[in-house]
Short mmCIF file of all heavy atoms in Angstrom, two decimals:
data_model
loop_
_atom_site.label_atom_id
_atom_site.label_comp_id
_atom_site.label_asym_id
_atom_site.label_seq_id
_atom_site.Cartn_x
_atom_site.Cartn_y
_atom_site.Cartn_z
N ILE I 1232 -44.31 101.13 -92.72
CA ILE I 1232 -44.66 100.39 -93.88
C ILE I 1232 -44.04 100.91 -95.13
O ILE I 1232 -43.50 100.19 -95.94
CB ILE I 1232 -46.22 100.29 -93.98
CG1 ILE I 1232 -46.84 99.58 -92.86
CG2 ILE I 1232 -46.65 99.65 -95.34
CD1 ILE I 1232 -48.28 99.78 -92.66
N GLY I 1233 -44.05 102.21 -95.20
CA GLY I 1233 -43.34 102.88 -96.35
C GLY I 1233 -41.79 102.55 -96.37
O GLY I 1233 -41.28 102.37 -97.40
N ILE I 1234 -41.21 102.57 -95.22
CA ILE I 1234 -39.81 102.16 -95.13
C ILE I 1234 -39.61 100.72 -95.61
O ILE I 1234 -38.62 100.51 -96.28
CB ILE I 1234 -39.23 102.42 -93.73
CG1 ILE I 1234 -39.24 103.90 -93.41
CG2 ILE I 1234 -37.87 101.82 -93.60
CD1 ILE I 1234 -39.09 104.25 -91.92
N ALA I 1235 -40.41 99.77 -95.13
CA ALA I 1235 -40.39 98.39 -95.52
C ALA I 1235 -40.47 98.20 -97.02
O ALA I 1235 -39.73 97.58 -97.69
CB ALA I 1235 -41.43 97.52 -94.93
N ARG I 1236 -41.37 99.07 -97.67
CA ARG I 1236 -41.50 99.06 -99.15
C ARG I 1236 -40.25 99.57 -99.80
O ARG I 1236 -39.76 98.91 -100.83
CB ARG I 1236 -42.71 99.90 -99.55
CG ARG I 1236 -42.88 100.00 -101.05
CD ARG I 1236 -44.05 100.93 -101.39
NE ARG I 1236 -43.92 102.30 -100.87
CZ ARG I 1236 -44.84 103.18 -100.87
NH1 ARG I 1236 -45.99 102.94 -101.41
NH2 ARG I 1236 -44.59 104.36 -100.38
N ALA I 1237 -39.59 100.56 -99.29
CA ALA I 1237 -38.37 101.19 -99.79
C ALA I 1237 -37.20 100.12 -99.74
O ALA I 1237 -36.29 100.21 -100.63
CB ALA I 1237 -37.97 102.47 -99.11
N LEU I 1238 -37.30 99.26 -98.76
CA LEU I 1238 -36.20 98.32 -98.61
C LEU I 1238 -36.43 97.01 -99.37
O LEU I 1238 -35.56 96.16 -99.41
CB LEU I 1238 -36.11 97.87 -97.11
CG LEU I 1238 -35.55 98.96 -96.18
CD1 LEU I 1238 -35.75 98.47 -94.71
CD2 LEU I 1238 -34.18 99.40 -96.47
N ALA I 1239 -37.57 96.84 -100.03
CA ALA I 1239 -37.95 95.62 -100.67
C ALA I 1239 -36.91 95.05 -101.62
O ALA I 1239 -36.61 93.82 -101.73
CB ALA I 1239 -39.31 95.72 -101.31
N LEU I 1240 -36.33 95.98 -102.37
CA LEU I 1240 -35.39 95.49 -103.45
C LEU I 1240 -33.92 95.61 -102.94
O LEU I 1240 -33.04 95.52 -103.76
CB LEU I 1240 -35.55 96.47 -104.73
CG LEU I 1240 -36.92 96.26 -105.43
CD1 LEU I 1240 -37.14 97.40 -106.47
CD2 LEU I 1240 -36.97 94.94 -106.08
N ARG I 1241 -33.80 95.80 -101.66
CA ARG I 1241 -32.49 95.88 -100.97
C ARG I 1241 -31.54 96.94 -101.70
O ARG I 1241 -30.46 96.58 -102.30
CB ARG I 1241 -31.87 94.53 -101.07
CG ARG I 1241 -32.62 93.53 -100.21
CD ARG I 1241 -32.02 92.15 -100.18
NE ARG I 1241 -32.89 91.27 -99.28
CZ ARG I 1241 -32.72 89.90 -99.14
NH1 ARG I 1241 -31.81 89.29 -99.90
NH2 ARG I 1241 -33.56 89.27 -98.39
N PRO I 1242 -32.00 98.23 -101.63
CA PRO I 1242 -31.30 99.18 -102.32
C PRO I 1242 -29.94 99.56 -101.59
O PRO I 1242 -29.74 99.28 -100.53
CB PRO I 1242 -32.27 100.42 -102.33
CG PRO I 1242 -33.01 100.21 -101.08
CD PRO I 1242 -33.25 98.68 -101.00
N LYS I 1243 -29.08 100.29 -102.31
CA LYS I 1243 -27.86 100.78 -101.74
C LYS I 1243 -28.17 102.27 -101.24
O LYS I 1243 -27.40 102.61 -100.24
CB LYS I 1243 -26.69 100.85 -102.73
CG LYS I 1243 -26.37 99.41 -103.19
CD LYS I 1243 -25.21 99.46 -104.20
CE LYS I 1243 -24.71 98.08 -104.57
NZ LYS I 1243 -25.72 97.36 -105.36
N PHE I 1244 -28.97 102.94 -101.82
CA PHE I 1244 -29.09 104.38 -101.58
C PHE I 1244 -30.54 104.82 -101.40
O PHE I 1244 -31.40 104.36 -102.19
CB PHE I 1244 -28.50 105.24 -102.73
CG PHE I 1244 -28.70 106.67 -102.69
CD1 PHE I 1244 -28.16 107.39 -101.60
CD2 PHE I 1244 -29.46 107.37 -103.61
CE1 PHE I 1244 -28.38 108.85 -101.58
CE2 PHE I 1244 -29.68 108.76 -103.50
CZ PHE I 1244 -29.09 109.46 -102.49
N ILE I 1245 -30.86 105.50 -100.36
CA ILE I 1245 -32.24 106.00 -100.04
C ILE I 1245 -32.23 107.47 -99.76
O ILE I 1245 -31.45 107.91 -99.08
CB ILE I 1245 -32.84 105.24 -98.82
CG1 ILE I 1245 -33.05 103.73 -99.12
CG2 ILE I 1245 -34.11 105.89 -98.38
CD1 ILE I 1245 -33.60 102.91 -97.97
N VAL I 1246 -33.17 108.21 -100.41
CA VAL I 1246 -33.46 109.53 -100.16
C VAL I 1246 -34.64 109.58 -99.12
O VAL I 1246 -35.78 109.04 -99.44
CB VAL I 1246 -33.81 110.35 -101.38
CG1 VAL I 1246 -34.31 111.68 -101.02
CG2 VAL I 1246 -32.63 110.43 -102.35
N ALA I 1247 -34.41 110.08 -97.99
CA ALA I 1247 -35.41 110.12 -96.98
C ALA I 1247 -35.84 111.63 -96.87
O ALA I 1247 -35.09 112.46 -96.37
CB ALA I 1247 -34.96 109.72 -95.57
N ASP I 1248 -37.01 111.88 -97.53
CA ASP I 1248 -37.47 113.19 -97.75
C ASP I 1248 -38.40 113.70 -96.58
O ASP I 1248 -39.57 113.42 -96.62
CB ASP I 1248 -38.10 113.29 -99.09
CG ASP I 1248 -38.43 114.74 -99.46
OD1 ASP I 1248 -38.13 115.70 -98.75
OD2 ASP I 1248 -39.18 114.98 -100.50
N GLU I 1249 -37.86 114.40 -95.65
CA GLU I 1249 -38.66 114.79 -94.48
C GLU I 1249 -39.45 113.67 -93.87
O GLU I 1249 -40.67 113.85 -93.62
CB GLU I 1249 -39.55 115.96 -94.85
CG GLU I 1249 -38.84 117.23 -95.42
CD GLU I 1249 -38.53 118.19 -94.30
OE1 GLU I 1249 -38.60 117.87 -93.07
OE2 GLU I 1249 -38.16 119.36 -94.61
N PRO I 1250 -38.90 112.54 -93.55
CA PRO I 1250 -39.68 111.41 -93.11
C PRO I 1250 -40.29 111.47 -91.82
O PRO I 1250 -41.18 110.62 -91.42
CB PRO I 1250 -38.56 110.24 -93.22
CG PRO I 1250 -37.36 110.87 -92.90
CD PRO I 1250 -37.41 112.25 -93.55
N VAL I 1251 -39.94 112.46 -90.89
CA VAL I 1251 -40.52 112.56 -89.60
C VAL I 1251 -41.23 113.93 -89.39
O VAL I 1251 -41.78 114.11 -88.38
CB VAL I 1251 -39.41 112.34 -88.52
CG1 VAL I 1251 -38.80 111.01 -88.61
CG2 VAL I 1251 -38.39 113.46 -88.54
N SER I 1252 -41.34 114.75 -90.41
CA SER I 1252 -41.95 116.06 -90.17
C SER I 1252 -43.42 116.03 -90.04
O SER I 1252 -43.97 116.89 -89.32
CB SER I 1252 -41.61 117.00 -91.43
OG SER I 1252 -42.15 116.46 -92.57
N ALA I 1253 -44.08 114.95 -90.43
CA ALA I 1253 -45.52 114.78 -90.32
C ALA I 1253 -45.90 114.05 -89.01
O ALA I 1253 -47.01 113.78 -88.69
CB ALA I 1253 -46.15 114.10 -91.48
N LEU I 1254 -44.93 113.64 -88.21
CA LEU I 1254 -45.18 112.84 -87.08
C LEU I 1254 -44.87 113.72 -85.77
O LEU I 1254 -44.10 114.70 -85.82
CB LEU I 1254 -44.21 111.65 -87.09
CG LEU I 1254 -44.28 110.76 -88.30
CD1 LEU I 1254 -43.16 109.71 -88.23
CD2 LEU I 1254 -45.65 110.14 -88.47
N ASP I 1255 -45.51 113.27 -84.64
CA ASP I 1255 -45.13 114.00 -83.35
C ASP I 1255 -43.72 113.62 -83.05
O ASP I 1255 -43.12 112.73 -83.52
CB ASP I 1255 -46.20 113.67 -82.29
CG ASP I 1255 -46.24 112.25 -81.82
OD1 ASP I 1255 -45.09 111.67 -81.69
OD2 ASP I 1255 -47.28 111.76 -81.61
N VAL I 1256 -43.21 114.43 -82.07
CA VAL I 1256 -41.76 114.28 -81.75
C VAL I 1256 -41.39 112.98 -81.26
O VAL I 1256 -40.30 112.43 -81.72
CB VAL I 1256 -41.43 115.43 -80.67
CG1 VAL I 1256 -39.98 115.18 -80.18
CG2 VAL I 1256 -41.55 116.82 -81.18
N SER I 1257 -42.14 112.35 -80.33
CA SER I 1257 -41.75 110.97 -79.77
C SER I 1257 -41.80 109.89 -80.86
O SER I 1257 -40.89 109.06 -81.01
CB SER I 1257 -42.67 110.66 -78.69
OG SER I 1257 -43.97 110.50 -79.05
N VAL I 1258 -42.75 109.98 -81.76
CA VAL I 1258 -42.86 108.93 -82.86
C VAL I 1258 -41.74 109.19 -83.86
O VAL I 1258 -41.10 108.23 -84.41
CB VAL I 1258 -44.19 108.97 -83.54
CG1 VAL I 1258 -44.33 108.04 -84.72
CG2 VAL I 1258 -45.34 108.60 -82.56
N GLY I 1259 -41.51 110.55 -84.21
CA GLY I 1259 -40.41 110.88 -85.13
C GLY I 1259 -39.12 110.35 -84.63
O GLY I 1259 -38.27 109.87 -85.37
N ALA I 1260 -38.87 110.44 -83.27
CA ALA I 1260 -37.61 109.98 -82.68
C ALA I 1260 -37.49 108.47 -82.91
O ALA I 1260 -36.35 107.85 -83.16
CB ALA I 1260 -37.54 110.30 -81.21
N GLN I 1261 -38.55 107.79 -82.76
CA GLN I 1261 -38.46 106.27 -82.98
C GLN I 1261 -38.16 105.98 -84.39
O GLN I 1261 -37.40 105.04 -84.68
CB GLN I 1261 -39.80 105.71 -82.65
CG GLN I 1261 -40.23 105.76 -81.14
CD GLN I 1261 -41.67 105.37 -80.90
OE1 GLN I 1261 -42.31 104.72 -81.80
NE2 GLN I 1261 -42.16 105.69 -79.69
N ILE I 1262 -38.67 106.71 -85.42
CA ILE I 1262 -38.37 106.51 -86.75
C ILE I 1262 -36.93 106.79 -87.09
O ILE I 1262 -36.31 106.08 -87.90
CB ILE I 1262 -39.30 107.30 -87.70
CG1 ILE I 1262 -40.77 106.86 -87.56
CG2 ILE I 1262 -38.93 107.24 -89.15
CD1 ILE I 1262 -41.05 105.47 -87.89
N VAL I 1263 -36.42 107.88 -86.55
CA VAL I 1263 -34.97 108.19 -86.76
C VAL I 1263 -34.07 107.11 -86.21
O VAL I 1263 -33.20 106.73 -86.88
CB VAL I 1263 -34.67 109.62 -86.05
CG1 VAL I 1263 -33.15 109.81 -85.96
CG2 VAL I 1263 -35.35 110.75 -86.82
N ASN I 1264 -34.43 106.65 -85.06
CA ASN I 1264 -33.61 105.55 -84.56
C ASN I 1264 -33.69 104.23 -85.36
O ASN I 1264 -32.75 103.49 -85.54
CB ASN I 1264 -33.97 105.31 -83.03
CG ASN I 1264 -33.41 106.38 -82.07
OD1 ASN I 1264 -32.21 106.60 -82.20
ND2 ASN I 1264 -34.23 106.81 -81.20
N LEU I 1265 -34.90 104.04 -85.94
CA LEU I 1265 -35.06 102.84 -86.74
C LEU I 1265 -34.27 103.03 -88.04
O LEU I 1265 -33.59 102.08 -88.47
CB LEU I 1265 -36.57 102.80 -87.16
CG LEU I 1265 -36.92 101.69 -88.29
CD1 LEU I 1265 -36.51 100.22 -87.85
CD2 LEU I 1265 -38.35 101.84 -88.68
N LEU I 1266 -34.18 104.14 -88.61
CA LEU I 1266 -33.34 104.43 -89.84
C LEU I 1266 -31.92 104.21 -89.51
O LEU I 1266 -31.14 103.62 -90.33
CB LEU I 1266 -33.59 105.84 -90.29
CG LEU I 1266 -34.92 106.16 -90.94
CD1 LEU I 1266 -35.08 107.62 -91.18
CD2 LEU I 1266 -35.19 105.37 -92.19
N GLN I 1267 -31.43 104.64 -88.31
CA GLN I 1267 -30.02 104.30 -87.92
C GLN I 1267 -29.81 102.76 -87.86
O GLN I 1267 -28.79 102.26 -88.36
CB GLN I 1267 -29.67 104.92 -86.55
CG GLN I 1267 -29.35 106.37 -86.58
CD GLN I 1267 -28.82 106.79 -85.29
OE1 GLN I 1267 -29.29 106.37 -84.21
NE2 GLN I 1267 -27.86 107.75 -85.25
N GLN I 1268 -30.75 102.01 -87.28
CA GLN I 1268 -30.56 100.59 -87.14
C GLN I 1268 -30.58 99.93 -88.53
O GLN I 1268 -29.79 99.04 -88.85
CB GLN I 1268 -31.65 100.04 -86.25
CG GLN I 1268 -31.58 98.53 -86.10
CD GLN I 1268 -30.27 98.13 -85.32
OE1 GLN I 1268 -29.95 98.70 -84.31
NE2 GLN I 1268 -29.51 97.13 -85.83
N LEU I 1269 -31.45 100.32 -89.39
CA LEU I 1269 -31.51 99.72 -90.68
C LEU I 1269 -30.30 100.03 -91.54
O LEU I 1269 -29.78 99.23 -92.35
CB LEU I 1269 -32.85 100.30 -91.45
CG LEU I 1269 -34.16 99.93 -90.88
CD1 LEU I 1269 -35.31 100.64 -91.51
CD2 LEU I 1269 -34.37 98.36 -91.02
#
């Protein structure tokens, strides 16, 4: 949801500040792959 909010204005540049450190490893891996796709 936070990533969707960051994309709302269709930015060119995003700072991802430790976006998976609060998540467990498997969920964090899904978020990393999502960031690649986006």
Side-chain angles (χ1 to χ4, degrees):
I1232 294 165
I1234 293 169
R1236 177 181 59 188
L1238 292 172
L1240 294 168
R1241 298 181 176 170
K1243 294 181 175 65
F1244 174 63
I1245 290 180
V1246 172
D1248 187 7
E1249 297 269 14
V1251 300
S1252 65
L1254 307 173
D1255 66 41
V1256 172
S1257 62
V1258 174
Q1261 293 170 17
I1262 295 299
V1263 166
N1264 284 315
L1265 173 64
L1266 290 172
Q1267 277 192 324
Q1268 182 62 50
L1269 293 171

